[in-house]
Structures are given as C-alpha cells and as structure tokens.
C-alpha cells in the first residue's frame, strides 16, 4: 500500500562506478579508471529489472565518461522509459574547478549523452552536491550549458557537501533554471537528510520512510531521493588504503540495499524528475 498523500516523488540514480566516488578520489587516480573492473553494465541491468518489476520510472544522472564507454547501457535506460540526465563528464566537484573548466565539462557531458541517446538532456547533478554559497557561479554555468534544471544542492550539514541555508524545495537559481534540492525533513530547526545517500543504508529503513512521509504529508511536497548502482552490489571489488570512516560509509549494508529499495518503491509513488517538477517536460 502506498501512503504518499497522493504525492508523486522523484527517484534519481547517479550513474557512476564504485571507483569514481569522490571519497575515493585521493586513492584511485583517473588514470586507473580505464584499468579497473567495471561493474556498471551488470548493476544497471539489475536496477532496470528492479524498476520494471516495481512499475517505476526514474531519472539517471549519468557520467559522460560512463556513457562514452557503455553507450548500449545508456540506450537501454532510455528505451525502458527512464529520463536520461547528466552527472558531468569527469566527476570533478564544481568546488575543485574554475568556472570555464566546469562549463566545458558539463557541456561535453550533455553533448555526449544527447548524441548517444537522441533525446534532450534537461537535467544536471553536480558530483557530491558541490554547489554551495562559495560557488553560486556554477548555477550560471549550468543555465548557460542549456540545462533546464539542476539537482545539485543537498540542504544539510555534512563534512563533504551540503548547503544548509538553501531552500528545501525547488527554486529558480538562475533565470530559466530550476534547482531541485535533495529532500530534507525539518525537525527541531534542523534539516534532516531524507533523500538517500549513506544514511539510507546506515540507518533503519523505517526512519527513511517516516521522514519521507513527513515531507509528503506535512510539507505536502514531492521528495527527491538518490542512490548509486554500486550501492546494490555487495560483490564489488574493494578499494584499499582508504580510511576506516570512508570504508564504513561506502560498504555498510550493501547487501540490504536492494530489499530496502523494493520497500521504498512499494511504500511511495515515484517518477522521473522532469515529469514531477517541470511544467513542460
Ligand atoms: Zn557522483
């Protein structure tokens, strides 16, 4: 039984492989990416099957780097009725780039994804939600690159990302560009993360369900939830040399993600970001 107060939420997937996550960037160089065993094809297969069985469509924020190497996977995502969106080309955080560099990275990703898929790519998500008060110029670049929306802000406090003062619900970040933040639930003057990430794997599922219900019922708004294909893959090769904290965050409860996602997709209604938020998808 779904219990979403009639609200349809937005389900999003950041399409990158296990070795491309920002927390590993000091341990796995970009030169190594081409030589590591890639798990993206099989993990996207598992995910597409899961979404089909749950009759759910989602938005896939895909890296240009992945799309170039796995064009068939990109086309399968589109053929299954999901929205193809951009996660940039090289998975460099916006905060680690100059505006010109950032603009060319997100333009390149849009071109590659559109050439492969033949559909317009409307949405962009910055790696590690790396748009914040210090680099508002990034919104101008995202608009200039021709995107219609961005989902690059997580309005929480976190050691690696977050823009705690940002609006919790969609706002115009640049003329003609809508920012669709990851969902938080407001409790005791604090924004609690309710839109996925390590929290979804670390904490009991019932907490995620309670937080999303609060957003659907109290705020009467759609939630935006995200996860990665590698979070469904307990067999992924282990990256060595990382800190205990990073290891814990990346590997905790991987074997439970698929079951939890099935519950999440059953308990709430979900659709693509463009259909949930854009007036004219
Ligand atoms: Zn990412």
């Amino acid at each position: 039984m779904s219990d979403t107060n009639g609200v349809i939420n937005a389900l999003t997937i950041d399409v990158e492989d296990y070795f491309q996550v920002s927390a590993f960037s000091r341990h796995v160089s970009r030169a190594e990416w081409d030589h590591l065993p890639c798990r993206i094809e099989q993990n996207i297969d598992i995910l597409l099957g899961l979404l089909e069985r749950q009759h759910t469509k989602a938005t896939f924020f895909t890296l240009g780097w992945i799309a170039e190497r796995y064009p068939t996977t990109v086309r399968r995502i589109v053929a299954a009725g999901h929205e193809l969106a951009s996660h940039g080309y090289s998975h460099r955080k916006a905060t680690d780039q100059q505006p010109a560099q950032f603009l060319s990275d997100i333009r390149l990703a849009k071109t590659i994804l559109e050439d492969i898929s033949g559909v317009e790519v409307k949405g962009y998500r910055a790696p590690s939600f790396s748009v914040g008060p210090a680099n508002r110029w990034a919104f101008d670049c995202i608009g200039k690159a021709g995107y219609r929306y961005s989902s690059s802000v997580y309005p929480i406090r976190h050691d690696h990302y977050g823009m705690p003062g940002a609006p919790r619900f969609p706002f115009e970040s640049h003329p003609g560009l809508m920012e669709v933040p990851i969902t938080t639930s407001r409790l005791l003057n604090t924004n609690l993360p309710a839109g996925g990430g390590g929290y979804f794997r670390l904490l009991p599922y019932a907490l995620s369900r309670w937080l999303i219900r609060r957003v659907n019922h109290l705020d009467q708004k759609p939630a935006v939830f995200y996860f990665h294909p590698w979070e469904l893959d307990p067999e992924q090769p282990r990256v060595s040399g990382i800190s205990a904290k990073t290891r814990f965050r990346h590997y905790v409860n991987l074997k439970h993600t698929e079951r939890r996602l099935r519950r999440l997709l059953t308990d709430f209604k979900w659709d693509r970001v463009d259909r949930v938020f854009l007036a004219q998808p």
Side-chain angles (χ1 to χ4, degrees), residues 14 16 87 91 127 228:
D14 292 356
E16 66 201 44
H87 196 31
H91 210 255
H228 304 89

Side-chain angles (χ1 to χ4, degrees), residues 91 132 140 150 184 223 236 242 257 262:
H91 210 255
D140 303 336
S150 148
T184 57
Q236 65 190 269
I242 54 176
T257 313
R262 273 201 304 272

